[in-house]
Amino acid sequence: MKRTTIKDVAEAAGVGVATVSRVLSGGSASPETRERVLAVAAHLDYRPSALGRNLRQQRTGGIGLLLPDLTDPLYGRLAEGVLACARSAGEPVLVGSTGGDPEQESELIGMLLEQSVDKVVAVPSGDADTWGPALRTGMTVVFAGERPDEPTEEPVDDLLLLDGLRGRPRVEGGIPTVLADDRSGVRTAVQYLKGLGHRRIAYLGGPGHARRVSAFREALGPLVDDELVVFAGGSRDAAYAAASGLFQSRPDLTAVLAGGNQLGEAAVLAARELDLRIPRDLSLVMYDDVPWAELCSPPLTVIAQPAQDLGYRAAELVLRAGIRRPRSVLLPTELIVRGSCGPRR
């Protein structure tokens, strides 16, 4: 007879996997929801294999790796770093794609709990509360590349900066995170564009770009034009629509900073469609270096982040969690100047 899973309980109770996980681990839920979930679990004779004591008694080893998009070159390189570290430690890796959807992320967390996976590296899609039930069961989690959505932005100085940079351990109680120093990268890029004479500089952003936008505003200072700070949804179509709309509504802008490789791709395509010549009509800097950036005509100036190292360091942290408490780290970025930027005309 097939064993009842947490997903079976969630479907029968009409709630999400994360809600079932939260109820069974003693987390917050309304009395009605808690009663319904517990009743369904009892009726289906659900025997949790990963929640509670069994998570602590039946370790299976291995690392769970949750990524928003397996086709994105950035996440592919990050995954390579995790796999390299896990391979050196003799640990298997279970990979899941969240599609950038918090609900799908919750379901995958539940599945990892079902399989007694107690170490996870994730590029988070939802907010920090999504991970609460898993953390209460004893799962060790390290975020890589991004933080979950939070009401306030954590200061850079609350991270340990590596490779000779200054810093200190992150504040107690937070989930360890390995990040690229995007604030420094964005500031350097804006200063470079200003040095070329650009004053009407746009930022094309997406979900989770609060730190980069903050750095962009700080670097521009009084030159910031709110109409030139544009956000797109997570899809390629949304990115293209945002770039095209920006370029058509503000023909006076002379430079744009695209906050990610998908947004940079959209900016290149929209500029081509609108007969904007790069860099003669529009200078372009893209956050993140991907293989196609150097193949563009002209090659794109980029803010490069060490994606593979992000994954490797995150895997190191999650594997060492039993020895000492992991500390968050911040890795340096680099501005690589190519041919997509020129002086303001």
Side-chain angles (χ1 to χ4, degrees):
M1 183 177 178
K2 181 183 176 183
R3 185 173 66 88
T4 301
T5 68
I6 194 171
K7 192 170 183 179
D8 296 329
V9 176
E11 290 177 353
V15 297
V17 171
T19 300
V20 175
S21 175
R22 188 163 56 248
V23 168
L24 297 180
S25 62
S28 60
S30 69
E32 296 80 6
T33 299
R34 181 180 301 279
E35 183 177 348
R36 184 166 70 255
V37 168
L38 293 176
V40 169
H43 177 72
L44 296 179
D45 194 26
Y46 173 62
R47 301 176 185 275
S49 60
L51 293 169
R53 72 176 189 279
N54 281 346
L55 179 62
R56 298 172 175 81
Q57 293 173 352
Q58 298 177 5
R59 306 292 190 184
T60 63
I63 301 172
L65 174 60
L66 300 185
L67 302 170
D69 183 358
L70 297 181
T71 66
D72 189 306
L74 166 67
Y75 300 133
R77 285 181 286 131
L78 191 151
E80 286 177 359
V82 173
L83 291 169
C85 183
R87 186 163 52 246
S88 66
E91 294 278 2
V93 178
L94 283 73
V95 182
S97 176
T98 66
D101 179 6
E103 191 63 33
Q104 191 168 331
E105 180 179 71
S106 296
E107 291 187 10
L108 287 170
I109 294 169
M111 290 173 61
L112 291 174
L113 287 171
E114 279 288 331
Q115 297 176 53
S116 297
V117 175
D118 61 344
K119 299 180 183 68
V120 176
V121 173
V123 179
S125 299
D127 58 31
D129 291 340
T130 302
W131 293 87
L135 295 172
R136 283 191 289 271
T137 66
M139 178 180 278
T140 300
V141 179
V142 173
F143 293 138
E146 296 177 16
R147 289 196 191 93
D149 295 331
E150 295 175 340
T152 58
E153 184 179 331
E154 185 177 328
V156 172
D157 284 344
D158 283 342
L159 295 164
L160 176 68
L161 285 84
L162 297 185
D163 299 307
L165 300 176
R166 62 185 176 80
R168 63 175 186 268
R170 188 183 179 187
V171 292
E172 292 294 323
I175 295 176
T177 305
V178 181
L179 293 172
D181 192 359
D182 50 3
R183 292 179 64 90
S184 176
V186 168
R187 284 196 296 264
T188 300
V190 171
Q191 290 165 3
Y192 171 66
L193 290 171
K194 289 169 68 176
L196 291 172
H198 295 283
R199 295 297 179 265
R200 289 184 293 278
I201 305 172
Y203 181 88
L204 183 60
H209 283 199
R211 287 170 53 82
R212 295 174 195 175
V213 172
S214 174
F216 177 80
R217 291 180 176 278
E218 289 173 5
L220 270 182
L223 296 176
V224 171
D225 182 341
D226 288 335
E227 290 184 356
L228 295 181
V229 179
V230 176
F231 290 92
S235 70
R236 279 180 164 78
D237 288 345
Y240 176 82
S244 181
L246 170 65
F247 297 163
Q248 292 181 74
S249 65
R250 290 298 300 267
D252 59 323
L253 71 86
T254 63
V256 60
L257 171 56
N261 68 74
Q262 185 170 278
L263 294 159
E265 177 185 284
V268 170
L269 293 174
R272 185 178 302 164
E273 289 290 325
L274 296 170
D275 293 324
L276 293 172
R277 295 163 297 177
I278 297 175
R280 184 178 179 85
D281 301 323
L282 182 71
S283 288
L284 173 62
V285 178
M286 180 175 74
Y287 189 92
D288 194 27
D289 192 17
V290 291
W292 61 261
E294 199 168 6
L295 301 177
C296 279
S297 181
L300 299 189
T301 294
V302 297
I303 303 165
Q305 58 177 322
Q308 188 165 344
D309 204 15
L310 287 172
Y312 197 98
R313 298 290 182 99
E316 277 187 328
L317 289 184
V318 83
L319 288 171
R320 293 176 181 174
I323 302 173
R324 61 187 180 189
R325 186 184 184 277
R327 297 186 300 178
S328 293
V329 296
L330 194 65
L331 301 178
T333 54
E334 177 188 5
L335 181 67
I336 300 177
V337 176
R338 297 184 179 131
S340 63
C341 296
R344 182 178 67 86
R345 294 180 183 272

